[in-house]
Amino acid sequence: MYTANMLKSMARVEETRERRLQEKFPRLGPDEKDELLRRFHPDFREDTQRPVKVGPNAGDRMPHELVDLLEARSVVEPGAVDLDEPDYDVDVLVIGGGGAGAAAALTAHAHGADVLLVTKLRLGDANTMMAQGGIQAADKPNDSPVIHYLDVMGGGGFTNRPELVRALTADAPLVIRWLEELGCMFSKEADGTMMTIHGGGTSRKRMHFARDYTGAEIMRTLRDELLNRGINVVEFCAALELVLDDGGRCAGAVLQNLETGRLLVARARTTILATGGFGRIHVSGFPTSNHYGATADGLVMAYRAGARLVYLDATQFHPTGVAYPEQMLGQLVTEKVRGLGAQLVNAEGEQFVFPLETRDAVSAAIIRECFERGRGFVTETGQHGVWLDSPMIERIHGPGTVRAELPAMFRQYERFGIDMSSQPILIYPTLHYQNGGVEIDEFGRCPQVPGLYVAGEAAGGIHGRNRLMGNSLLDILVFGRRAGAHAAGEVSRIGLSRPTLDHVARFNREVEAAGLGRITAPILLPDYVRR
Amino acid sequence: MAQPEPELVTIHIMGKGYRVPKGLTIMKAMEYSGYRLIRGAGCRGGFCGACGTVYRTKGDWRLKVGLACQTVVEDGMYLTQIPFYPANKAVYDLAELKPGLATLLRLYPELPRCLGCNTCTRVCPQGIDVMDYMARAMRGDVAGVADRSFDCIMCGLCASRCPAEEVQYNVAILARRLYARYLAPPARHLAERVREIEEGRYDEELDRFVQMDPAELKKLYNARDIEA
Ligand SMILES: Cc1cc2nc3c(=O)[nH]c(=O)nc-3n(C[C@H](O)[C@H](O)[C@H](O)COP(=O)(O)OP(=O)(O)OC[C@H]3O[C@@H](n4cnc5c(N)ncnc54)[C@H](O)[C@@H]3O)c2cc1C
Ligand code: SF4
Ligand code: SF4
Ligand code: FES
């Protein structure tokens, strides 16, 4: 339900709508865009990042909120854990129960490994569950992995690691085929042809989808299969630190039962880290579209074990996150709304940016409109936002279009008394995706830490400095499967020596010597309790 | 900007009263009251079904259920979250199943116990006609169940209130997997592309692209044709 003030501002949006239907806002020129990004995009501003002082990436700039965690002391007291009597002893330990972890566990299991999957919340309480848009794969006759390769590299500004993009695009059809066999219900034509559409930056229509619950359909299918295969899954069990053996090889992890608080030790010949992204650390104070457990734990653990991080100075903000109602703050309003013709409009009812500029430019333009020009709307809780004129969709494509094309979106607003087919919605950029992560090779191996694999949003380099929509659901499955297969294949060759947490003790000392370490990490969950 | 004092309402979390701002979701109201959630919060956006909650409202004897992240508090609400629900899930190898009534009945023999009471449909936060898809399941209409249950987030609220102890959402996912694997026609273009990749058809060209100088790659990128 909108407040009286909002209805007043909305009236202006309605007044200008007929005129705006004819109006085309000019696109930004290259210089204009540079200037806009430099001044208003959180990635480019001087005051949002700083160089990290300790660890393998010392000197590299990253967002303050992440640096705080990388410069923190461990939550684990290294001497207080008995590593010699492990609670679990397995071939492959998978940490994280999202799409990447599930794919890794299923694949390692299929290769004959004894697998343990631990996850912080429930299996599937993960960013993967929330993806609506789709997953890319070049499987149509007019498309090829080579064309897909070119699109991915261009989208990432040619900063992507080529061998990772090669793996991503060549495995993509194999992943879709795997999902089809697992009974994942992709949207298809009557003859079985996959329905595919464009996404930002695609040169072919290769975005596959399962209605508007693509991630959920993939995740629940993989979850069902994990349970059918009898793979050992332990929920509400978070990893706190990796364990190394005295030869520096990853040998498992220290875990915590989140309900009893008790620490557990898992000994594993190989370990796959699939802990996802960092939205819930709220970079620069932004709301986020991510699930409750997206707190960068994997980055913190891998960093202390000696892994290098890449491209973590590039953060993906989605320009249209929900700014009102407060209950939906930060949730994603899909790009499709703008794709269908809805314009972005300030509190005075005027356009201020071409709606289909790149994500970073639209985000920066919204921030400028709210803070420099003061023409955003401010809600009663102090949240800034601008209008996304969704009723235009019905004017352009006919009544009923919003409900038919955006059912999940429509339903969510409807729950809070807002009819987005007749009322515009208030939006503000939301922290959406962690472009960078732990450096990996094409098998998901961490080059600096033998025995450690990283897959999914926790890994970096695949997308360079900018991921395109639909390539991340893809990457979690491609590299989840690659890591699972490779890790299982290594098992018989690996002998572990004495397990230690010496690297953690060493890191703690380094942090202390630098005068840092007032807080501890990983944080596991954000703290939203009112004090 | 000065923020106006929020209007407060009283809610009872597991019987204890708390004053919280009007308009909060149950999830945010619990956090406002001092709860740090471990169970009962996942996506926080209506996608994962982690946050099922049972509640009553003032002056109403009826039990209601909803998602804590999607339900707004009301003055006088009595509530508790359902942290875990011990529901039955059949274990199967999809590759060995046949799509039809016999499979559904073998894996979920309680299926015909449905009383047609419509409780599941009334409580579903996704607005799914759950009783209808259960009726289709009892007729062996696998495709119908798959289609009608598609928006299910497996929150378990239907099962928590079912007098016949059905686990509707597990029947539904079985039907969807059966449908997608056996009844929907396979994508032929996909099988063809997989064969090409396995034969190594793209290896050479991909290798060339991987080695390519970025400037040249950029030229190709800018000149690429875009499907209309
Ligand atoms: C709203 C939204 C929409 C999106 N839409 C799309 C889209 O349309 N197309 C697309 O390609 N991509 C999309 N993405 C991105 C994509 O969904 C994610 O990048 C991807 O699913 C990440 O998968 P993952 O398995 O790496 O991480 P997740 O799915 O987040 O899983 C990580 C898991 O690890 C657990 N975990 C975290 N820390 C620990 C710990 N310390 N110990 C144990 N477990 C831990 C987490 O709780 C979680 O279960 C979207 C993302 C969001 C948030
Ligand atoms: S609640 Fe149970 S018994 Fe009632 S209609 Fe639904 S499935 Fe049948
Ligand atoms: S069908 Fe049942 S489990 Fe699925 S969303 Fe509805 S109430 Fe929840
Ligand atoms: S937390 Fe996922 S549905 Fe409520």
Side-chain angles (χ1 to χ4, degrees), chain A residues 504-528:
Chain A
V504 177
R506 220 177 309 121
F507 195 88
N508 277 347
R509 283 197 300 273
E510 191 184 343
V511 161
E512 249 156 68
L516 305 164
R518 270 175 299 277
I519 61 165
T520 57
I523 58 169
L524 307 185
L525 291 172
D527 189 354
Y528 295 138

Side-chain angles (χ1 to χ4, degrees), chain A residues 125, chain B residues 27 40-52 67-70 153:
Chain A
D125 292 350
Chain B
M27 182 172 288
C43 66
R44 303 178 70 100
F47 285 98
C48 76
C51 61
L67 300 173
C69 71
Q70 300 291 304
I153 57 172

Side-chain angles (χ1 to χ4, degrees), chain A residues 458-479:
Chain A
I462 306 160
H463 309 289
R465 304 185 56 84
N466 178 46
R467 169 200 66 125
L468 298 179
M469 174 190 155
N471 281 335
S472 137
L473 279 180
L474 175 60
D475 101 54
I476 67 176
L477 302 177
V478 165
F479 290 96

Side-chain angles (χ1 to χ4, degrees), chain A residues 91 245 249 269-270 443 445 453 485-497:
Chain A
D91 294 338
D245 77 0
R249 165 170 276 284
R269 268 143 226 97
T270 52
F443 300 107
R445 282 182 298 196
Y453 297 75
H486 200 280
E490 288 290 281
V491 164
S492 60
R493 268 182 276 158
I494 292 171
L496 293 176
S497 52

Side-chain angles (χ1 to χ4, degrees), chain A residues 392-520:
Chain A
M392 289 184 76
I393 298 174
E394 306 256 307
R395 273 293 276 110
I396 298 169
H397 303 281
T401 310
V402 169
R403 208 186 191 121
E405 293 290 323
L406 305 156
M409 212 65 263
F410 183 82
R411 174 183 295 139
Q412 293 217 314
Y413 274 104
E414 202 185 21
R415 284 191 180 126
F416 299 104
I418 293 168
D419 173 2
M420 66 177 284
S421 67
S422 64
Q423 297 174 310
I425 54 184
L426 197 73
I427 60 94
Y428 190 75
T430 188
L431 175 54
H432 187 48
Y433 184 77
Q434 167 190 300
N435 286 312
V438 181
E439 183 181 1
I440 55 167
D441 72 7
E442 66 269 36
F443 300 107
R445 282 182 298 196
C446 167
Q448 297 84 23
V449 187
L452 177 65
Y453 297 75
V454 187
E457 198 167 333
I462 306 160
H463 309 289
R465 304 185 56 84
N466 178 46
R467 169 200 66 125
L468 298 179
M469 174 190 155
N471 281 335
S472 137
L473 279 180
L474 175 60
D475 101 54
I476 67 176
L477 302 177
V478 165
F479 290 96
R481 280 172 20 121
R482 280 176 167 248
H486 200 280
E490 288 290 281
V491 164
S492 60
R493 268 182 276 158
I494 292 171
L496 293 176
S497 52
R498 194 181 61 88
T500 83
L501 286 171
D502 291 352
H503 63 290
V504 177
R506 220 177 309 121
F507 195 88
N508 277 347
R509 283 197 300 273
E510 191 184 343
V511 161
E512 249 156 68
L516 305 164
R518 270 175 299 277
I519 61 165
T520 57

